């Protein structure tokens, strides 16, 4: 827990103490495990999509859309993995989380575009 107090006394002679709780780790193992697991799942999905692409009738075949979506997730997963491995190069952890947030937002927008634009 982290406690903080303002420099002066508040109105009415009262002092306010703020308590903040947070959890953190100095090890990058959790981030590597997270991104590695996501990449493993996306690679497994891409194999299944590739194997299923030739087994369905063309009028019922949605594997082209699914393979495009999986490719986008794989691409952004590789970008996230690169950010995790370059974590020590980025000095400020807040900047790193901002970059992660931007990458995940772009991934969501690209995924939605894959579904919305063809229709």
């Amino acid at each position: 827990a982290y406690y903080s107090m303002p420099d002066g006394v508040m109105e009415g002679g009262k002092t306010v103490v703020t308590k903040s709780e947070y959890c953190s780790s100095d090890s990058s193992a959790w981030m590597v495990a997270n991104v590695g697991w996501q990449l493993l799942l996306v690679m497994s999905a891409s194999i299944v999509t590739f194997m299923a692409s030739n087994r369905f009738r063309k009028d019922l075949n949605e594997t082209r859309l699914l393979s495009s979506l999986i490719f986008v997730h794989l691409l952004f997963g590789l970008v996230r993995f690169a950010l995790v491995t370059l974590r020590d190069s980025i000095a400020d952890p807040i900047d790193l989380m901002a970059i992660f947030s931007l990458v995940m937002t772009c991934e969501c927008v690209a995924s939605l575009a894959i579904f919305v634009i063809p229709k």
Side-chain angles (χ1 to χ4, degrees), residues 11 23 25-26 30 35 37 44 49 63 65 71-72 83 95 99 104 109 112 117 119:
E11 221 175 276
C23 180
S25 173
D26 293 333
W30 291 109
V35 173
W37 178 250
S44 301
T49 303
T63 56
L65 181 68
F71 177 73
V72 165
L83 283 173
D95 290 342
I99 294 170
M104 287 190 270
V109 169
L112 287 172
I117 290 174
K119 305 203 187 242

Side-chain angles (χ1 to χ4, degrees), residues 30-73:
W30 291 109
M31 291 181 87
V32 170
N34 179 21
V35 173
W37 178 250
Q38 289 177 6
L39 283 176
L40 178 72
L41 291 176
V42 168
M43 286 184 179
S44 301
S46 64
I47 291 170
V48 170
T49 303
F50 177 75
M51 290 172 34
S53 64
N54 297 327
R55 297 184 183 221
F56 296 110
R57 292 186 356 209
K58 295 298 178 194
D59 58 338
L60 297 176
N61 195 354
E62 291 288 326
T63 56
R64 182 171 298 183
L65 181 68
L66 288 175
S67 61
S68 299
L69 184 65
I70 289 170
F71 177 73
V72 165
H73 286 303

